[in-house]
Amino acid sequence: GAALGGFLFGFDSSVINAAVPGIAAQYGTSPAQTGFIVSIALLGCAVGAWYAGRIADRLGRIQAMRVAAVLFMISAIGSAFPGSVGGLMFWRFVGGLAIGSASVIAPTYIAEIAPAHLRGRLGSLQQLAIVTGIFLALLSGYLIATAAGSASSDWLLGIEAWRWMFLVELIPAIVYGLAAGTIPESPRYLIGKGRVDEAREVMASVGQETDDARIEEVRASLAGERAQKVSDLKGPKFGLLPVVWVGIILSVLQQFVGINVIFYYS
C-alpha cells in the first residue's frame, strides 16, 4: 500500500509527457510556457517534501498518505479541466505537492514499519514502484494518443485525449487512498503519541521486536529529534556541510544524464 505512493510519484510526474502536444494545441503555449507547465510540478514537489514530515508527525503516516491521495485526485481532475494556462500551472503545482509528500511519506513509513532484515528490500520496492509509475504513465499516454489519433483529438465522451491522460491518474490515486486504510499506523508514530499498546500490536504483526528495550530505544530516538532549520545545512566548506555539497553535485549530474528529457518530452 505504501509503495503505491512511489507509483503515483512516478506516474504524476511523467503523466504530462504525452499530453504536451495537446496542451500546446489547446492553449497555443510558447516553448517557455510549455516548459514551465511541465517543470512547475517539481517546484510543488520541493514544497510538498518540505512540509510532508510535519504533517506526518502531527496527523500520522496513514492520514498523510490520505492527504497525498486527495491531492493526486484533485490535481488529476484540475489538470484535465484547467480552464486556462494559469489554471493548468496551478493544478500541476498541486500535483507536485502530492509528489513531494509521497516521496517523503512512503519511504519513511516503510523504514518504520518493516523488520530490519526486510527494510532494504522494501526500500528497493519503493524505487521500483517509482520507475513503474513513470513507465505506465508514458505507456498509457501513448495508448490514449494512438487510440484517439493524436493528443489533441477528441476521444471518449467527446473529451480530448490529453485530458484523459490526466484523468487516468484517478484510478491509482483512489486505490492509494483506499489502500492507506488497510495498513497499520507506524509504530514509531504511535509510541510518540503515547499509544504504546497499539504500537506493540503493530510491531508484533510485522515481525518487529516488542520488548521494553525496543520501545525505550524508539522513545530515546524520538526524544533526540528536533525541528530542522535551514541553518543546520551550514558548514565549513564554502558555507555548507560536505554532505550537502555531495547532494547538490549528485542532483546536477543527474540532470546532465538527460533522463528528464525522456520522462517529460519523449
Side-chain angles (χ1 to χ4, degrees):
L4 274 171
F7 177 88
L8 279 161
F9 175 151
F11 195 100
D12 188 273
S13 62
S14 296
V15 71
I16 199 166
N17 184 306
V20 165
I23 292 169
Q26 179 78 30
Y27 297 109
T29 54
S30 66
Q33 287 177 315
T34 301
F36 194 67
I37 290 169
V38 171
S39 62
I40 195 172
L42 300 180
L43 298 178
C45 181
V47 175
W50 182 268
Y51 287 102
R54 301 180 189 183
I55 295 173
D57 287 340
R58 177 169 295 184
L59 302 179
R61 282 42 167 170
I62 302 304
Q63 284 297 98
M65 290 181 197
R66 287 172 174 159
V67 170
V70 171
L71 288 175
F72 277 122
M73 287 185 265
I74 292 173
S75 171
I77 297 172
S79 298
F81 305 102
S84 65
V85 172
L88 183 54
M89 290 179 181
F90 173 78
W91 293 117
R92 286 296 293 161
F93 182 85
V94 171
L97 295 176
I99 296 169
S101 298
S103 71
V104 171
I105 296 166
T108 298
Y109 178 82
I110 290 172
E112 292 176 349
I113 200 75
H117 68 283
L118 292 176
R119 205 162 289 150
R121 274 178 278 179
L122 290 176
S124 298
L125 179 63
Q126 162 76 358
Q127 298 301 311
L128 179 62
I130 292 172
V131 294
T132 301
I134 292 170
F135 171 71
L136 290 182
L138 303 188
L139 180 62
S140 65
Y142 168 76
L143 293 176
I144 291 172
T146 301
S150 72
S152 56
S153 299
D154 290 347
W155 194 41
L156 300 178
L157 304 177
I159 298 174
E160 294 98 324
W162 69 267
R163 300 184 194 274
W164 279 108
M165 294 172 190
F166 289 113
L167 291 173
V168 165
E169 187 185 351
L170 283 171
I171 298 172
I174 291 172
V175 172
Y176 180 44
L178 295 175
T182 66
I183 55 179
E185 182 55 87
S186 161
R188 182 179 177 85
Y189 169 77
L190 293 173
I191 292 172
K193 294 299 181 181
R195 297 155 61 182
V196 178
D197 290 340
E198 292 179 58
R200 288 185 192 275
E201 292 179 10
V202 174
M203 294 165 76
S205 70
V206 297
Q208 291 191 29
E209 297 179 4
T210 61
D211 54 63
D212 291 342
R214 175 56 181 157
I215 299 297
E216 289 306 315
E217 181 182 338
V218 175
R219 279 180 173 155
S221 175
L222 289 168
E225 289 185 349
R226 64 178 179 80
Q228 301 300 306
K229 302 177 181 178
V230 175
S231 59
D232 294 335
L233 304 180
K234 293 181 179 179
K237 300 294 184 180
F238 304 103
L240 295 174
L241 292 171
V243 69
V244 177
W245 283 115
V246 170
I248 292 172
I249 292 169
L250 286 174
S251 296
V252 171
L253 292 176
Q254 185 184 43
Q255 306 313 305
F256 285 166
V257 168
I259 191 60
N260 283 356
V261 175
I262 306 300
F263 289 166
Y264 303 128
Y265 297 104
S266 62

